Amino acid sequence: MSSPTSTSPAFRTAIVPAAGLGTRFLPTTKAVPKELLPVVDTPGIELVAEEAAEAGAERLVVVTSPDKRSVAEYFQHQPELESTLAERGKDRLLDKVRRGPDLINAEIALQERALGLGHAVGCAEPNLAPTDDAVAVLLPDDLVLPHGVLGRMAETRRRFGGSVLCAFDVPADSVSSYGIFDVDDTDENDVKRVRGMVEKPAPDRAPSRLAAAGRYLLDRAVFDALRRIDPGAGGELQLTDAVALLISEDHPVHVVVHSGVRHDLGNPGGFLKAAVDFALKDSEIGPDLRDWLVERIGRS
Ligand code: G1P
């Protein structure tokens, strides 16, 4: 296992698994990958890339299927569009168009078959640099706000070593939708040591109500663990099971408990809440939307 020092950045590479079929957004996802659906005007994957870049990532490995290459291509410059906007003096639009490509260097790792989140993360291994002792994994369905939890996770890896995940509290009747942690306290309020982790447990088998929130800072050892797991919940190769295997082999795993907002972009209801939340904070469209919402709710 590698031993991070306080001077080296905790990670330079962020992996974003984006190969899913997006069945909850059919029929739209027949033609448009769900990761490119706009939260107001910006695709969810750009919001996630922005979070990774702010935390120090230089490279974004987008794991996707052969027919969803547009998710990674979104991060390429479009010289013709950019010069047209520049000629027309549309500077604000030009900034928006350049923002994604300027944020981070994106590249593709192909996942030919949808065999689960653990398998998807494993598909990114050939893209890693020899110096990548640890990688961040960000699930694009999860928006974790305000940004900063990855930084706190990096501090936690510097102190305790090993791997660090993000946890948040869920209602007891929702535990079967998440990876759930069994934890012990540490001397830091928001950091717990993980004794075990189980993917999508029945409510009466759940060790806690602390759920994985789609942000992982994983020691490179996880790739070896991913080769040694069997299909788990849903018949899929689960990232949770690779983390559980590492714990059973005394690899340190901690969670940072996130106390802010988490939006779930993975279903239409959660996506709409995120869009409304972002729109209300937008100085141009927020005030009018607020008035309309108040009036509309009053009518229902
Ligand atoms: C995945 C993970 C799960 C985690 C969740 C967070 O599940 O497997 O451990 O809690 O993301 O969103 P999915 O939502 O892909 O079924």
Side-chain angles (χ1 to χ4, degrees):
M1 195 189 311
S2 51
S3 51
T5 67
S6 57
T7 50
S8 59
F11 61 92
R12 290 199 172 89
T13 298
I15 299 171
V16 177
L21 294 175
T23 49
R24 282 177 287 186
F25 283 96
L26 283 170
T28 302
T29 43
K30 287 197 302 181
V32 183
K34 76 172 171 187
E35 295 80 7
L36 294 182
L37 299 179
V39 179
V40 186
D41 60 3
T42 303
I45 194 155
E46 181 173 320
L47 301 174
V48 167
E50 189 179 33
E51 179 188 348
E54 273 177 30
E58 293 160 6
R59 219 148 54 103
L60 193 74
V61 181
V62 179
V63 182
T64 194
S65 60
D67 56 353
K68 284 180 68 181
R69 288 170 194 268
S70 55
V71 179
E73 286 162 3
Y74 173 79
F75 290 96
Q76 287 169 9
H77 277 290
Q78 299 223 346
E80 266 185 43
L81 175 61
E82 291 176 24
S83 56
T84 306
L85 292 172
E87 278 160 24
R88 294 183 186 172
K90 306 266 187 200
D91 292 344
R92 278 192 58 208
L93 284 180
L94 187 58
D95 284 349
K96 284 188 181 189
V97 166
R98 287 182 172 157
R99 196 171 51 200
D102 285 348
L103 267 177
I104 199 159
N105 296 316
E107 59 193 75
I108 287 190
L110 283 183
Q111 185 188 24
E112 304 278 348
R113 293 167 61 206
L115 299 178
L117 177 60
H119 178 257
V121 171
C123 290
E125 188 180 13
N127 294 58
L128 300 194
T131 48
D132 282 329
D133 296 333
V135 293
V137 175
L138 293 89
L139 305 190
D141 278 356
D142 293 72
L143 290 185
V144 179
L145 301 166
H147 290 175
V149 79
L150 285 173
R152 182 74 180 123
M153 289 160 67
E155 277 170 20
T156 305
R157 173 168 152 93
R158 273 188 205 106
R159 176 167 174 205
F160 294 103
S163 297
V164 184
L165 284 68
C166 173
F168 71 116
D169 258 314
V170 295
D173 60 2
S174 302
V175 287
S176 58
S177 300
Y178 298 100
I180 301 293
F181 300 107
D182 183 9
V183 298
D184 283 331
D185 287 340
T186 69
D187 58 3
E188 298 183 55
N189 258 344
D190 60 337
V191 178
K192 314 278 175 204
R193 193 180 73 86
V194 182
R195 298 196 311 184
M197 185 177 182
V198 48
E199 182 69 12
K200 302 193 170 77
D204 58 343
R205 310 282 308 261
S208 75
R209 286 178 20 195
L210 276 183
R215 296 293 180 271
Y216 308 75
L217 176 51
L218 298 171
D219 189 277
R220 199 172 177 133
V222 77
F223 292 98
D224 180 56
L226 283 168
R227 280 188 284 276
R228 293 185 286 126
I229 54 167
D230 295 317
E236 298 189 331
L237 290 167
Q238 296 290 351
L239 185 55
T240 292
D241 293 342
V243 173
L245 178 59
L246 288 174
I247 295 167
S248 74
E249 294 171 347
D250 297 327
H251 175 100
V253 176
H254 291 78
V255 289
V256 168
V257 181
H258 174 64
S259 52
V261 170
R262 174 209 174 238
H263 284 301
D264 181 0
L265 300 183
N267 65 82
F271 192 94
L272 267 177
K273 285 182 197 161
V276 170
D277 194 20
F278 274 63
L280 286 172
K281 287 183 254 175
D282 184 294
S283 59
E284 260 174 44
I285 57 180
D288 181 53
L289 176 67
R290 182 179 304 276
D291 291 348
W292 181 82
L293 280 172
V294 169
E295 185 271 330
R296 176 65 188 81
I297 288 162
R299 264 195 285 138
S300 65

